[in-house]
Amino acid sequence: METIDSAPLLTDRLHIGDCLIVLPSREVQAPGARRPARLTPKAIGVLLVLARGAGNVITRDELFAQVWPDTLPTNDVLTQAVTQLRKALSAGGTFPEGQEYIETIAKTGYRLLAPVTWETGEEQSPETGEPPVPEADGPVSSAVAPMPAAQVVADLPGQQKNRGFWRQARRRLLLAVGLLLLCSSVTMAWLLWHRPVKETALDAATADGTGVIGSPERPYRLITARQGFGTFPALSPDGALVAFADESDGGSTLKVQSTGSATSATLVEAPPEAIDRFPAWSPDGREIAFARFRRDGGCEVLVIGATGGNARRATVCDGAEMLSFNWTPDGRGLVFGSMTGSHGAPGIRRLDLATGRWTALDYERGEGDFDYAPRYSPDGRQLGFTRNPQLGAVWVMAASGGAARRVTGGSVEMRGWGWLGDDAIVFGRRVDSESRLYQVDLGSGLLKDLGVDDAQSPSVAGMGKLLAFVHRAPQFGLFRIPLDHPERKERLFASSGRDAQPMIAPDGQQLVFNSSRSGAFALWWARLGQPDSLHPVEGLRPEARQSPDWSADSQQVLVSGRDDTGQPGIYEVTPEQGQWKRLPIPVSEPLQAIYGPASNLFFVIGREGQGPVTLSLFDRAGGNWRRLAQVPGASQVRYDHRTQRVLFTRLAEGGLWSADANLSPSSFRELSGEVPSRWRFRTWAVGNDGMVTYLHQEAGCSVQMRRLDLSQAPRCLEAKAASATNGFSVSPDGDAVYVALAVADGTDIGIMPVPQTVSRPLLGVLKWLPALGKPDS
């Protein structure tokens, strides 16, 4: 619910400078304007906050808290609201864009400069509710216009008597309606007050507050209970069955089972040296499309009956990375996201299964955008997809294409999504040390945490009321792996929490990493060989999407994090002393920052509004951050001090690029055309000697190291335990790597009811129920 201020307004009209604002219609009547300007609800909310503090500086945080409560908006929504206000207030005037009304206070907020006058209620007649006739010699109120002459002439004695009768009748009618509404409100309040209180899961764990019954019931249940990995769940349209990929024993086999926790059955046997993934049910529930990947890099999309049988080929997709597809609403074709390889194409396309003909969807997209996981809404009128899922968001547009709008905020690591009816979506995203599920209402934009830990890859039954997801709760530990003898790996600072992103300092003596070992996700520091030195950096909320970066003197690290409102930022930390400060980098959404060749130079990856993610070179000399160069579409950056070159990956394609320290376009070079892949864009590191290493998974080796700077045979560092994909580091002497390995891992398929959108009450009395002292649920 949107709340601006609890204080009552004097009236619904106010004057700001020479402009009149009518609040019920959200209209701004500016002098000289041809017609009133209509404001959005958010813009009028911003105007009210500025008006109440006229002449004072209102910070961006105050505006976000009052106009966008319980949401995580980006800075650009506030900028758009202020821009609309300026245009409306200056319409027909001589000053451009209302600068004489609203002043921007750099890096702080805004200030309303024009005087504010509220129209007082005393100017309304208590008898009739109409403006009174001003006295002949008295001044005319600026808020109330004088009565027209024609109306005075018409008020003859007989007509005045009729008007008095109808006014009394109208007052009595309004009084009766008011009493009826009051009675109905009191009745509803009484019924709600005396209705049975719904017992919560926590209440059900005890017996009348005197005895223990058991653990609180979870909002979900797990329907698979086996060692291994159940991935890519897909619910049948009626919600009775779930298809998923069983990735046990190094393979991947498609299975189907009831959502009532019955034993699963194999849908189709994959041939040797092949794995099957990405099951998708047809709208009628009779067929399942899936992808088959071969060890030689080829793949094909197949369609099989829901009860098994022979599969038929829909298309080939050799070399396709990040393959994604789903059914069209009529069940006659498949819709594909952006595809790579010789059979791929940028953007979203439809494939007609009967003819094999491809049709490219005509819609707005940037040159470097990679659109993934397209899905039609249940009514078939909308099409949603994730754009650049490594650091992206969910977008929605009309099923026929055209303009798309972003419906989730922030540049985050997306972990699947699905439709919750036609007006809401559910999506998974990485946050801190886990992935969580969130619900977004498309109309209001409100975000809700579904309260499910360690959840990703949601799937919703099109005709049912069930939500399936992957439940994964791994434990990762820190390890030092000698490159000459990987079997002698050593675990560092063992704990029962989740440790990740171990970054060794250039002096080879200090280590920083992210961990949940204290119960809260935090940045930790220690000296190697001194376990007692281990401590967290208090008060800092790091972000796990990018690794910390050490300064050349091993004194400070740059860390991506967020403040108490969830806004992203870059923090410079002195970890040994536990001190930190937020850097005033002039980027609305900074995602990563690393030190450059000099103490005043920084390389920053970030996003402005809904624009592309870019890599920028900043100079902060003298406290003024100046952008010197920019590269669009970068996803991860590292600086090689030995060769004085910048290394970076891109969102739109796999591979690794280099540039000189000035980011000169003429210096761009492709170092690797295939790896790092898009999904493992953070699993590479640069050593002090210029060594560029990449960790990936191969058959028979969970952690294989590959040199990207030299033509050298890969080396297996760990045969069984998988490595984390969000960062590792190389020792200064190049003899070892510091990496997070899975100590315990596995996944199950979870099932829960689809969260129902809470309907708005018809009468305002419901919002006062919490104040009555009795819970309403």
Side-chain angles (χ1 to χ4, degrees):
M1 180 178 68
E2 177 181 312
T3 58
I4 302 301
D5 198 330
S6 59
L9 300 179
L10 293 175
T11 67
D12 54 11
R13 297 159 68 91
L14 73 154
H15 293 265
I16 297 180
D18 296 329
C19 299
L20 172 64
I21 289 82
V22 182
L23 298 180
S25 61
R26 305 195 307 275
E27 290 183 346
V28 176
Q29 299 176 10
R34 298 178 58 187
R35 61 178 62 89
R38 180 68 56 85
L39 299 176
T40 64
K42 296 300 184 185
I44 202 73
V46 172
L47 183 61
L48 286 174
V49 177
L50 293 175
R52 291 190 179 98
N56 299 320
V57 177
I58 308 299
T59 66
R60 283 177 171 264
D61 291 339
E62 292 178 54
L63 290 168
F64 282 135
Q66 296 193 55
V67 184
W68 288 271
D70 305 321
T71 61
L72 297 176
T74 55
N75 286 329
D76 61 302
V77 298
L78 176 56
T79 302
Q80 292 173 4
V82 173
T83 300
Q84 186 185 36
L85 288 176
R86 286 174 169 164
K87 291 182 178 179
L89 293 171
S90 63
T94 57
F95 294 91
E97 296 190 357
Q99 295 294 345
E100 75 279 14
Y101 287 98
I102 301 176
E103 178 187 11
T104 298
I105 308 301
K107 303 179 182 178
T108 303
Y110 301 94
R111 175 167 55 189
L112 184 62
L113 300 179
V116 177
T117 304
W118 292 87
E119 292 188 359
T120 61
E122 296 176 354
E123 294 167 350
Q124 303 296 323
S125 171
E127 294 280 334
T128 66
E130 296 180 352
V133 179
E135 297 179 1
D137 298 328
V140 179
S141 170
S142 60
V144 181
M147 183 177 294
Q151 182 176 335
V152 176
V153 173
D155 284 338
L156 299 177
Q159 293 174 335
Q160 290 180 353
K161 182 177 180 180
N162 291 335
R163 289 186 60 185
F165 171 78
W166 288 112
R167 286 174 181 172
Q168 290 181 2
R170 184 176 63 180
R171 285 200 303 271
R172 292 172 181 173
L173 178 61
L174 292 176
L175 178 61
V177 172
L179 290 175
L180 179 61
L181 289 176
L182 178 60
C183 293
S184 63
S185 297
V186 172
T187 302
M188 180 174 290
W190 186 87
L191 292 174
L192 291 173
W193 176 258
H194 289 279
R195 78 190 190 281
V197 178
K198 182 180 179 181
E199 189 178 52
T200 66
L202 290 176
D203 296 331
T206 59
D208 297 329
T210 60
V212 176
I213 296 178
S215 300
E217 183 180 357
R218 293 177 177 178
Y220 63 90
R221 56 189 175 86
L222 303 178
I223 63 172
T224 57
R226 62 174 65 85
Q227 290 185 343
F229 293 84
T231 60
F232 309 112
L235 281 170
S236 61
D238 60 2
L241 300 172
V242 59
F244 64 95
D246 183 358
E247 300 194 14
S248 305
D249 303 322
S252 182
T253 304
L254 293 188
K255 295 188 175 181
V256 177
Q257 80 173 61
S258 167
T259 53
S261 302
T263 303
S264 61
T266 299
L267 175 66
V268 59
E269 291 285 354
E273 301 300 318
I275 58 175
D276 294 340
R277 288 176 172 168
F278 308 146
W281 291 83
S282 62
D284 59 9
R286 296 180 179 179
E287 295 181 306
I288 297 176
F290 65 95
R292 173 166 291 169
F293 299 89
R294 296 190 299 270
R295 301 294 186 186
D296 60 6
C299 82
E300 56 186 344
V301 176
L302 305 172
V303 177
I304 192 172
T307 57
N310 295 323
R312 71 182 191 276
R313 175 187 288 180
T315 185
V316 295
C317 46
D318 56 290
E321 183 196 356
M322 293 175 65
L323 178 68
S324 62
F325 56 89
N326 214 306
W327 289 82
T328 56
D330 59 9
R332 299 178 180 177
L334 300 174
V335 56
F336 284 76
S338 300
M339 289 175 58
T340 60
S342 58
H343 293 273
I348 298 175
R349 299 180 297 163
R350 296 192 191 96
L351 172 65
D352 184 87
L353 294 177
T355 64
R357 185 175 61 185
W358 291 91
T359 302
L361 201 63
D362 184 14
Y363 69 104
E364 295 181 358
R365 57 179 295 271
E367 181 179 355
D369 288 332
F370 192 92
D371 296 336
Y372 185 75
R375 310 197 192 290
Y376 287 96
S377 60
D379 61 8
R381 298 179 180 180
Q382 302 178 86
L383 179 64
F385 55 91
T386 57
R387 174 160 288 172
N388 302 323
Q390 312 98 308
L391 295 172
V394 178
W395 294 65
V396 172
M397 62 183 175
S400 58
R405 65 184 181 96
R406 185 173 178 169
V407 297
T408 62
S411 299
V412 301
E413 183 179 341
M414 302 298 298
R415 296 293 182 89
W417 80 282
W419 286 95
L420 288 176
D422 299 314
D423 302 317
I425 67 167
V426 58
F427 70 96
R429 61 156 290 183
R430 184 182 179 89
V431 57
D432 293 340
S433 61
E434 63 175 337
S435 294
R436 299 184 65 84
L437 296 183
Y438 297 87
Q439 175 183 350
V440 174
D441 182 86
L442 298 185
S444 65
L446 290 179
L447 180 71
K448 176 184 177 182
D449 190 318
L450 296 187
V452 184
D453 300 336
D454 300 302
Q456 55 186 304
S457 303
S459 172
V460 183
M463 294 170 56
K465 296 183 178 181
L466 283 182
L467 168 67
F469 59 91
V470 171
H471 184 266
R472 183 184 184 189
Q475 180 188 355
F476 283 88
L478 304 182
F479 289 85
R480 180 185 184 274
I481 303 180
L483 297 183
D484 290 340
H485 298 281
E487 70 281 359
R488 299 178 183 175
K489 65 179 183 290
E490 172 191 5
R491 186 169 183 183
L492 307 172
F493 311 112
S495 77
S496 59
R498 296 177 184 174
D499 303 329
Q501 297 175 323
M503 307 306 291
I504 188 70
D507 62 10
Q509 302 299 316
Q510 306 174 74
L511 190 75
V512 293
F513 59 94
N514 292 323
S515 177
S516 62
R517 58 178 56 211
S518 66
F521 192 65
L523 180 73
W524 290 72
W525 172 91
R527 286 194 176 274
L528 296 180
Q530 300 180 22
D532 293 340
S533 66
L534 181 66
H535 67 258
V537 178
E538 299 289 350
L540 179 68
R541 302 178 63 183
E543 185 68 66
R545 57 189 170 194
Q546 300 288 8
S547 301
D549 184 65
W550 280 96
S551 60
D553 59 6
S554 301
Q555 297 298 310
Q556 297 174 311
V557 290
L558 293 177
V559 179
S560 63
R562 59 186 186 277
D563 60 20
D564 292 338
T565 65
Q567 296 300 310
I570 300 297
Y571 297 83
E572 192 167 38
V573 185
T574 307
E576 186 170 7
Q577 283 74 40
Q579 300 174 351
W580 53 270
K581 62 180 179 180
R582 181 166 181 160
L583 297 180
I585 299 176
V587 176
S588 62
E589 190 180 3
L591 305 176
Q592 182 196 12
I594 65 172
Y595 291 101
S599 60
N600 61 304
L601 297 177
F602 291 77
F603 294 100
V604 179
I605 289 181
R607 184 195 299 272
E608 293 289 350
Q610 295 189 5
V613 174
T614 60
L615 165 62
S616 301
L617 171 61
F618 282 99
D619 183 353
R620 68 165 177 179
N624 296 320
W625 289 77
R626 295 185 300 112
R627 196 191 307 262
L628 305 180
Q630 188 169 309
V631 178
S635 57
Q636 173 89 174
V637 62
R638 290 276 179 251
Y639 183 69
D640 184 355
H641 289 271
R642 188 182 69 86
T643 61
Q644 296 184 345
R645 61 178 177 172
V646 181
L647 305 177
F648 60 93
T649 55
R650 294 181 181 272
L651 286 170
E653 52 190 323
L656 185 67
W657 280 260
S658 71
D660 61 21
N662 297 320
L663 296 183
S664 304
S666 60
S667 67
F668 289 3
R669 299 288 185 274
E670 186 181 63
L671 298 183
S672 171
E674 299 178 358
V675 295
S677 68
R678 288 182 183 85
W679 282 129
R680 301 182 70 92
F681 71 99
R682 297 170 298 187
T683 320
W684 60 282
V686 180
N688 284 359
D689 60 351
M691 176 175 62
V692 183
T693 57
Y694 172 63
L695 301 184
H696 60 114
Q697 186 174 7
E698 291 290 343
C701 181
S702 293
V703 184
Q704 187 176 79
M705 190 187 80
R706 176 176 174 180
R707 291 283 297 267
L708 300 183
D709 57 324
L710 296 175
S711 296
Q712 192 178 85
R715 181 182 307 177
C716 185
L717 302 183
E718 171 60 36
K720 297 181 178 180
S723 68
T725 61
N726 59 347
F728 72 102
S729 59
V730 182
S731 63
D733 56 14
D735 292 340
V737 296
Y738 293 82
V739 63
L741 297 179
V743 178
D745 203 0
T747 63
D748 287 300
I749 305 299
I751 295 290
M752 65 183 291
V754 170
Q756 299 298 310
T757 302
V758 179
S759 59
R760 296 184 180 272
L762 295 178
L763 294 177
V765 68
L766 295 185
K767 67 181 180 181
W768 302 109
L769 287 179
L772 298 177
K774 182 176 180 179
D776 62 348
S777 62

